[in-house]
Amino acid sequence: MTTDWRGAWTAALDELEMDVATIEAMLADEHRHAETPPADIWKPPTELGALPLELKPRADEILTRQLAAAEEIARRLTANRQQTAMTARIETGEAVKRPVYLDCAM
């Protein structure tokens, strides 16, 4: 039973680590389409019980990578919003669109 329990946790961490690696690869590739989400979003397994003590360093390392990826995503979202606000203020050189005539009959 201990082998099954340890194996289940190892498999869960393998899956989680692959998910983090996918996000890290997306962040590293500037040309990847952001509209394409990862195909398999990681879902935590149920009924695994406590994490085996020898797997804690690996779980901590994965958590550190997840937090770094989340910070990078937040930083990029903020930069994107700032860039969008900045480009909204840029004049395009087009004439301001104004009504051609005013209908006073109303």
Side-chain angles (χ1 to χ4, degrees):
M1 174 150 173
T2 304
T3 306
D4 291 341
W5 170 61
R6 188 171 287 111
W9 266 107
T10 300
L13 290 175
D14 287 345
E15 214 176 308
L16 183 59
E17 191 168 22
M18 285 176 40
D19 187 51
V20 173
T22 300
I23 297 302
E24 290 170 339
M26 270 189 355
L27 290 171
D29 185 0
E30 296 292 329
H31 302 290
R32 184 179 172 112
H33 296 287
E35 300 84 35
T36 309
D40 297 323
I41 296 175
W42 186 81
K43 294 179 183 70
T46 57
E47 301 178 18
L48 280 184
L51 177 70
L53 192 56
E54 66 268 14
L55 294 179
K56 186 177 184 324
R58 182 175 177 205
D60 288 341
E61 190 265 332
I62 292 171
L63 176 61
T64 300
R65 288 172 58 195
Q66 282 182 316
L67 293 174
E71 285 178 19
E72 181 63 15
I73 290 169
R75 187 192 66 73
R76 289 187 186 195
L77 285 171
T78 300
N80 191 345
R81 285 189 197 114
Q82 290 171 343
Q83 187 175 17
T84 300
M86 184 66 73
T87 56
R89 287 187 238 141
I90 294 174
E91 292 185 29
T92 62
E94 290 183 19
V96 178
K97 306 246 190 282
R98 295 197 169 117
V100 177
Y101 65 92
L102 178 63
D103 186 0
C104 294
M106 297 179 122

